Amino acid sequence: IERIKNVRNCKFVFVPSCTDPGFVDSVYPRPPIPDPIFDAWKRAKLDFVSASNPCRIVYFSQEIVVLRQEVTQKLRSISMNSRLNSIYEKSKILNEEEEEEVVEPAKALPDFQMALQSCLNQSTMSPYSIANQTVLWDSDSALSLYPIPNAFIVAERQNCYEFSYEGCKCGNPGSFPSSEGSFLLYNPAKKTLDLCEM
């Protein structure tokens, strides 16, 4: 990183994931990554911040929220479990003579879009029941999404995506190594999310 041109003009923000050291895996919000991990960065005199997860970045009048969590996968798993339970319960109730009415599904949104819209609609980054997500209740206000931020970035392992919802730019930069160096660039002046590559 020190070899990158103009790296001294950059500010790096490190947001911990569940695989980073520092705290129990499934608890949110997560505290910052411990200081000793950044000794090399301190010696190189690079400008960085070790943030919590989720992290809020205020840039003039704009708020950018960064969350490192597999929101889509978790909601998909919870949804599948509740759907299977619902089908099982219905099958016990229905008689053999009765036929369940077939309903044409509406045009479905992609899973990632439904997941992030669920978070924004419920004004929380933890739209799960207590059984599915452990929350530090003293810090649960850190999971709030009210008012809706200008940008909501959820770092997941799936492919990169971006979309707009209720005036909020939503996106996932994807996995940097597996996407061959692609990333999202948020331009606060234009309020746009752009897919970029190394």
Side-chain angles (χ1 to χ4, degrees):
I1 288 179
E2 288 181 85
R3 290 180 287 190
I4 297 172
K5 188 179 178 181
N6 297 326
V7 75
R8 303 269 182 245
N9 299 333
C10 297
K11 184 163 196 130
F12 295 88
V13 179
F14 292 97
V15 179
S17 76
C18 62
T19 58
D20 290 321
F23 215 65
V24 182
D25 290 350
S26 63
V27 175
Y28 278 88
R30 291 180 59 82
I33 298 170
D35 275 347
I37 299 211
F38 296 105
D39 286 344
W41 284 76
K42 289 175 186 173
R43 282 193 303 273
K45 296 185 176 156
L46 295 171
D47 193 9
F48 73 94
V49 173
S50 179
S52 62
N53 182 12
C55 164
R56 293 175 191 278
I57 301 168
V58 176
Y59 184 79
F60 293 99
S61 64
Q62 294 186 47
E63 184 178 42
I64 304 157
V65 175
V66 180
L67 173 67
R68 287 191 68 190
Q69 186 179 29
E70 298 294 327
V71 175
T72 305
Q73 181 183 4
K74 193 164 196 168
L75 282 174
R76 188 183 298 134
S77 140
I78 293 167
S79 171
M80 183 58 73
N81 288 340
S82 65
R83 179 148 172 81
L84 290 174
N85 289 339
S86 171
I87 290 169
Y88 175 72
E89 291 299 321
K90 282 182 184 176
S91 67
K92 287 194 324 189
I93 296 170
L94 288 174
N95 292 331
E96 291 176 7
E97 296 91 43
E98 293 177 349
E99 289 185 20
E100 193 172 351
E101 184 182 336
V102 178
V103 178
E104 286 293 319
K107 188 176 178 185
L109 294 171
D111 286 351
F112 61 82
Q113 191 168 346
M114 286 185 358
L116 268 60
Q117 284 183 8
S118 292
C119 290
L120 290 169
N121 287 337
Q122 295 179 46
S123 300
T124 183
M125 288 176 258
S126 183
Y128 327 107
S129 70
I130 296 173
N132 298 107
Q133 177 69 62
T134 307
V135 173
L136 294 174
W137 292 110
D138 289 344
S139 307
D140 74 320
S141 60
L143 299 171
S144 174
L145 283 172
Y146 183 82
I148 290 180
N150 298 92
F152 182 35
I153 311 300
V154 177
E156 299 181 298
R157 285 188 291 257
Q158 64 178 320
N159 293 336
C160 185
Y161 60 79
E162 65 90 18
F163 65 94
S164 292
Y165 182 68
E166 299 289 328
C168 176
K169 292 291 180 181
C170 302
N172 169 31
S175 173
F176 187 75
S178 63
S179 64
E180 299 175 0
S182 65
F183 59 94
L184 281 179
L185 170 72
Y186 179 66
N187 185 333
K190 296 179 182 175
K191 295 185 181 177
T192 58
L193 266 178
D194 301 314
L195 177 61
C196 302
E197 293 179 351
M198 294 286 285

